[in-house]
Amino acid sequence: MYGKIAWAVMAALASASTTALAQTQAQGKPPATLPPVVVTGNPLGSELFDLVQPVSVLGGQELFLQRRSTLGETLDGLPGVASTNFGPNASRPVIRGLDSDRIRILQNGAGVLDASSLSFDHAVAVDPLVIERAEVVRGPAALLYGGNAVGGVVNVIDNRIPQSPVQGFTGRGEARAGGAERETAGSVVLEKGDGRVALHADAYTRDTDDLRIKGPNISPRLQQADPARAVTFGTLPNSAARAKGGALGASMTWDRGYAGVSYAGTDTYYGTVAEPNVVIDMQSSRLDFAGELRDIGSFITGAKFKFGRTHYEHREVDLGIVGTTFRSTGYDSRVELTHAKLGPLHGAIGAQFGDVDFSAQGAEAFIPSTNTRNRAMFLFEDAKFGQLTLSFGARHERTGVRSDGGGPADPATGNPRFDPAQQRDFNANSGSLGALWRFTPDVALAVNGTRTERAPTFYELFANGPHVATNAYEVGNAAFGKEKSTGVDVALRWKTAKHSASVGVFQNRFQNFLTLFNAGNQRGADGELNPVDADGDGRADGSGEEILRELQYRAVPARFRGLEAEGKFRVLEQGASMLDVNLKFDSVRADDLSTGQPLPRIAPWRFGVGLDYRRNAFGARLDITRVAAQNRVATGELPTDGHTMLNAGMSYRVKMPGLQASNLELFARGVNLLNQDARNHVSFLKDIAPLGKRSAQVGARLQF
C-alpha cells in the first residue's frame, strides 16, 4: 500500500519534471566534492580525519556502484565490515566480528525496529536503493546509542525529512538489471521546494530470481559429513525475492533549523534458503519526526530531536500455510542539546527513550511476548589544546525487559514452554575517553578507550523453542546479568590533497560475552529431548518433526582483537586522466578465554587492491580481493576455503540535451569474474549457500 501511495505522488510530480528541469540554471557539471561531515558518533559533527573513533562513509557515486540487494552486502568490504549473508535476501552488517544486537542500525539517527537482530534469516527493513549515504562507526559507540552499539553503528541517511532548503524541483532515478540473482530493480527520489517548504517522495521496486551458483549448493566438507543431504547444482533453491516500498516527507526549513515528518512503508517477500518450502512475507511501516534549532541562546546553542515509530510484521509461510508470525511495534527517540564553550569544553548532553513490544505466534514461536523499555542520559565533551583534541563522555541507561511467559506445552514436562511472566531490570553505565594528536597538518594519531555495559536482550533471556532457520532449538537464561566490555582503539592517519592512508589496531575484551553454544543435545521441534530417529531421516519417529541441535546462550569471557588498514594513492594525473590505487586490509581474531577456543563465524583476513581510472565523463574500476581460508573454527563449525574475488566496472556520464543540470550515468559491472566457488565464513548458511557465480549487471542513473 505504501509503495503505491508514493508512486502515485511521484507520478504527479514527475509530470512537471521536464519543465522544471529546463528552468534550472546550473551548469550540468557535478559539484565539487567537499569533505564529508559525519554526524554519527559525534553530536557536534566532524570531518572524518578529525574523528577519534574510526568511521567509514559510503555515499555518492561509490554507493551507486556498490549497491547490492541488502544492507549487509552493500557495506561488506568496508574496513572491518563483513556480512551475515543469510542468502541473497537477508543480510546484516558484521563489524569487527560482532553482529546481532551488538550492532545498532539507525535510519536518520533513529533506531530501525525490525526483527533482523533476532535471527539471521530476518531481513533489515531498509533497502539500499533509496539511501543517500551510510555512516559506519567501527567499534564501541554505546556512549551515544546504548549498550547494543558495543560493536558499532550503521546510520543510513535518506533525506526523507529534508534538513536544508530545497529550491525548485530535483531528484534522481535509477534502474539496474542482471547479476547472479538476475535482478531487475528501479528507484525514484523526487524533491520540490520553494526555499521554505520542502517535499520529498521516493519509491523503489526489486525482483530477483534464484541465485545462480557455480557448482553444488552443498560444500564438499558438509557433503562428506552428511552424505544424505540433497544437493542441487546451478541455482540456490528458494532464494528468489520481490520487494517494494516508498515514502513521503515534508519539512519547514529556515535559517537556523528545520522541522518535518515522514511516513514510509516496505513490503518484501523472499525465500529463506535454509528451509526449501518457507518464504517470509514482511511488511514494515515507519513514522518519523525530526527537527533542529541552531544558535538559539548564549549557553544552549542548539537542539536536535528525532522520533521514529515502527510497526513491523512478518509471516513465515510454509507451502502456503502461515506457520509463525513475528510482530514488533515500538518507538525510538532522542534529544540532543549542544552548549557554548565552558573554558576549553564544547559538547552536548542528551536523552534517549525507547519502547518495543515483541510477539511471536505459531510453530516457531521460540520467544514469549515481551516488552523492552529503555531510558538513558548521556554527555559528550571535547576540548582542543593546540594540536591535541581530547574527548570524553558518559552514559547511564536503564533497561526493563518483561516476559509474558506461557506458550505451548513442553512434552517433557507438560508445563508451558516459557517460564511464568517475569521482569528483569538493568542499570548500565558506559564511558569513553579519547585523544587526537596532529603531529603535522597531514598526520594524526587517534586513541580511544571505552568501558561498556549492555543489558541482555529479550531473546538471550527468555528464548526456549525451535528455530528451524538456524537448525537449532535455542535456550536462553533469565538469570543473565549485564554484559561488560572494555575496548581500546589506536589509529595512525595520513592525508594530503591527493593521498590518504590509515592503519589501526583494536581490542575489545568482554567479561561475560553472551553467545550461543552447542549443548550437545538434540530436540524435536516440539521440544522433545533427544528424540528417536531410527530410520536416520533427520526427523523424529512418529511425529515427522525435524530434529534440531540444542543451542544454549552462555556467558563467557571473550576477547576480540584485530588490525585494519586502508590507503588511497594518486599514481597518475596527466591532463584529464587520473588513476588512483586503493589498498585495504582487515583481520579479526576472537577467542573464548574460558577454553582458549575460537568463537564461531569470525571472518578471515582480507587484502584488496583496486585501480580507479577517470577521464572526463568516463570511469573504470578494477578490484581484486583475497579472502583467506578460515581454519580457526569453533567446536562443531566447519572450516572454509579461501577465495579471490575479481570485480570490474565502467561508467559513463552523459549530459542530457535540452535539460540543464541533468546527468545520465550509465554503468556496467562484472562480479566474481574468476568464477570462484566462494563461501562467506560469517554466514550460518555458508555450507549450503555459496555466493553467486560470475555475472554482469548494467544500469543507469539520472540526476537532475
Side-chain angles (χ1 to χ4, degrees):
M1 178 182 69
Y2 314 108
K4 292 180 180 179
I5 294 173
W7 279 118
V9 172
M10 287 191 293
L13 290 174
S15 66
S17 63
T18 303
T19 302
L21 284 169
Q23 294 173 349
T24 305
Q25 298 301 314
Q27 296 303 309
K29 295 182 179 180
T33 302
L34 299 175
V37 175
V38 178
V39 298
T40 310
N42 185 341
L44 305 177
S46 176
E47 293 185 11
L48 276 174
F49 191 77
D50 296 323
L51 285 169
V52 174
Q53 280 190 289
V55 178
S56 298
V57 175
L58 184 64
Q61 186 185 46
E62 188 175 3
L63 173 60
F64 166 60
L65 297 175
Q66 182 65 22
R67 289 192 216 274
R68 300 293 190 270
S69 58
T70 65
L71 182 63
E73 288 181 277
T74 298
L75 301 178
D76 190 4
L78 292 177
V81 182
S83 164
T84 57
N85 194 249
F86 204 91
N89 305 313
S91 180
R92 276 177 62 95
V94 177
I95 302 178
R96 294 180 169 179
L98 295 171
D99 55 24
S100 191
D101 199 62
R102 296 180 184 88
I103 304 300
R104 181 83 157 139
I105 298 181
L106 309 175
Q107 191 168 10
N108 305 308
V112 175
L113 305 180
D114 54 25
S116 62
S117 66
L118 170 66
S119 175
F120 295 104
D121 63 318
H122 299 172
V124 179
V126 174
D127 196 285
L129 278 170
V130 292
I131 68 176
E132 294 188 351
R133 185 170 66 169
E135 298 180 352
V136 181
V137 180
R138 307 194 303 277
L143 173 66
L144 297 179
Y145 304 106
N148 55 352
V150 62
V153 170
V154 175
N155 187 17
V156 295
I157 299 167
D158 52 33
N159 205 43
R160 284 174 166 171
I161 300 178
Q163 299 183 18
S164 56
V166 175
Q167 289 280 4
F169 186 82
T170 65
R172 71 177 189 270
E174 187 173 324
R176 54 184 64 215
E181 66 273 46
R182 289 166 282 191
E183 175 189 49
T184 56
S187 64
V188 181
V189 178
L190 301 174
E191 293 182 350
K192 185 174 178 61
D194 61 4
R196 291 190 62 83
V197 177
L199 304 176
H200 173 102
D202 66 61
Y204 67 89
T205 181
R206 182 197 306 278
D207 283 279
T208 64
D209 292 335
D210 283 344
L211 184 74
R212 291 178 293 173
I213 57 178
K214 178 186 178 182
N217 65 323
I218 306 299
S219 71
R221 288 186 176 92
L222 184 58
Q223 288 183 45
Q224 184 177 6
D226 187 2
R229 273 189 177 267
V231 180
T232 62
F233 293 84
T235 59
L236 184 61
N238 198 30
S239 58
R242 62 177 184 265
K244 61 183 178 180
L248 300 173
S251 64
M252 293 285 295
T253 62
W254 56 91
D255 292 341
R256 296 189 297 173
Y258 76 95
V261 61
S262 71
Y263 183 75
T266 63
D267 190 339
T268 306
Y269 189 84
Y270 63 94
T272 60
V273 179
E275 302 167 272
N277 300 314
V278 176
V279 296
I280 288 180
D281 187 4
M282 181 187 86
Q283 288 84 37
S284 176
S285 61
R286 180 181 174 102
L287 179 66
D288 281 277
F289 297 93
E292 180 180 5
L293 292 173
R294 299 182 292 269
D295 303 324
I296 59 177
S298 57
F299 179 67
I300 300 299
T301 59
K304 294 181 181 179
F305 170 73
K306 297 180 185 295
F307 174 91
R309 181 171 182 82
T310 301
H311 176 75
Y312 170 94
E313 178 178 309
H314 88 240
R315 292 165 296 281
E316 299 189 351
V317 184
D318 189 347
L319 295 175
I321 300 173
V322 176
T324 308
T325 300
F326 294 86
R327 294 186 179 92
S328 178
T329 301
Y331 69 86
D332 182 52
S333 64
R334 61 190 295 115
V335 178
E336 296 175 5
L337 304 176
T338 55
H339 65 76
K341 283 193 173 183
L342 296 173
L345 296 178
H346 183 211
I349 58 174
Q352 185 173 351
F353 308 92
D355 195 299
V356 179
D357 290 313
F358 175 86
S359 68
Q361 298 178 342
E364 286 191 43
F366 64 101
I367 298 170
S369 296
T370 62
N371 172 264
T372 303
R373 176 174 292 188
N374 297 286
R375 302 289 185 266
M377 299 287 292
F378 60 86
L379 167 73
F380 178 90
E381 300 288 338
D382 70 18
K384 296 184 182 297
F385 303 94
Q387 301 305 311
L388 177 66
T389 300
L390 299 178
S391 67
F392 67 90
R395 180 186 180 98
H396 174 73
E397 183 170 12
R398 181 171 178 80
T399 301
V401 187
R402 187 191 74 241
S403 164
D404 290 349
D410 187 327
T413 65
N415 299 323
R417 175 182 293 164
F418 306 120
D419 292 335
Q422 57 184 304
Q423 170 90 23
R424 292 294 314 278
D425 294 304
F426 304 89
N427 289 301
N429 298 296
S430 300
S432 70
L433 178 63
L436 181 78
W437 181 22
R438 282 191 180 241
F439 299 100
T440 72
D442 299 334
V443 181
L445 177 69
V447 181
N448 193 50
T450 58
R451 172 69 174 172
T452 300
E453 295 183 341
R454 180 181 75 92
T457 64
F458 62 92
Y459 51 88
E460 291 167 335
L461 292 170
F462 304 126
N464 186 25
H467 192 183
V468 181
T470 56
N471 189 35
Y473 190 100
E474 297 184 11
V475 181
N477 186 341
F480 279 146
K482 295 177 293 186
E483 182 182 80
K484 301 177 181 180
S485 64
T486 303
V488 62
D489 193 291
V490 181
L492 184 64
R493 302 170 186 162
W494 169 66
K495 182 180 181 181
T496 67
K498 300 177 182 179
H499 313 287
S500 64
S502 69
V503 59
V505 294
F506 65 88
Q507 176 173 283
N508 204 4
R509 187 160 185 154
F510 290 83
Q511 179 177 319
N512 52 340
F513 184 72
L514 306 181
T515 191
L516 284 168
F517 287 88
N518 195 329
N521 301 320
Q522 291 185 324
R523 293 262 195 170
D526 62 356
E528 182 183 358
L529 186 63
N530 295 319
V532 176
D533 178 21
D535 57 7
D537 66 352
R539 296 182 178 273
D541 291 353
S543 69
E545 293 180 329
E546 290 189 59
I547 295 179
L548 309 172
R549 53 186 178 149
E550 181 180 326
L551 301 183
Q552 295 179 356
Y553 280 99
R554 297 177 185 168
V556 299
R559 180 180 59 203
F560 292 73
R561 51 184 171 167
L563 170 69
E564 296 165 353
E566 60 178 327
K568 181 177 182 179
F569 308 96
R570 179 72 48 83
V571 296
L572 172 67
E573 187 168 3
Q574 184 174 356
S577 297
M578 291 180 291
L579 177 64
D580 292 335
V581 174
N582 301 304
L583 303 175
K584 61 182 180 181
F585 174 86
D586 59 26
S587 68
V588 61
R589 180 185 175 109
D591 298 288
D592 175 353
L593 297 180
S594 66
T595 63
Q597 296 298 308
L599 288 171
R601 297 180 297 101
I602 300 298
W605 63 259
R606 301 178 297 187
F607 175 69
V609 180
L611 299 176
D612 188 359
Y613 175 77
R614 284 157 290 158
R615 180 179 175 85
N616 297 324
F618 174 77
R621 182 157 185 156
L622 182 71
D623 291 288
I624 184 167
T625 302
R626 177 59 187 174
V627 180
Q630 182 56 288
N631 296 309
R632 248 190 126 255
V633 296
T635 302
E637 183 182 30
L638 295 175
T640 304
D641 293 335
H643 62 269
T644 300
M645 191 64 62
L646 177 64
N647 300 331
M650 295 186 296
S651 63
Y652 189 76
R653 191 175 63 251
V654 181
K655 178 69 177 68
M656 297 297 289
L659 299 178
Q660 297 182 359
S662 64
N663 288 291
L664 176 65
E665 188 165 10
L666 309 174
F667 83 89
R669 178 173 63 204
V671 177
N672 191 10
L673 295 177
L674 299 179
N675 206 26
Q676 297 272 284
D677 183 7
R679 296 177 186 269
N680 177 8
H681 186 80
V682 178
S683 173
F684 259 107
L685 301 185
K686 70 182 182 68
D687 289 301
I688 67 170
L691 303 180
K693 65 181 294 186
R694 180 193 294 126
S695 63
Q697 186 181 57
V698 296
R701 176 176 64 165
L702 174 66
Q703 288 184 295
F704 52 87

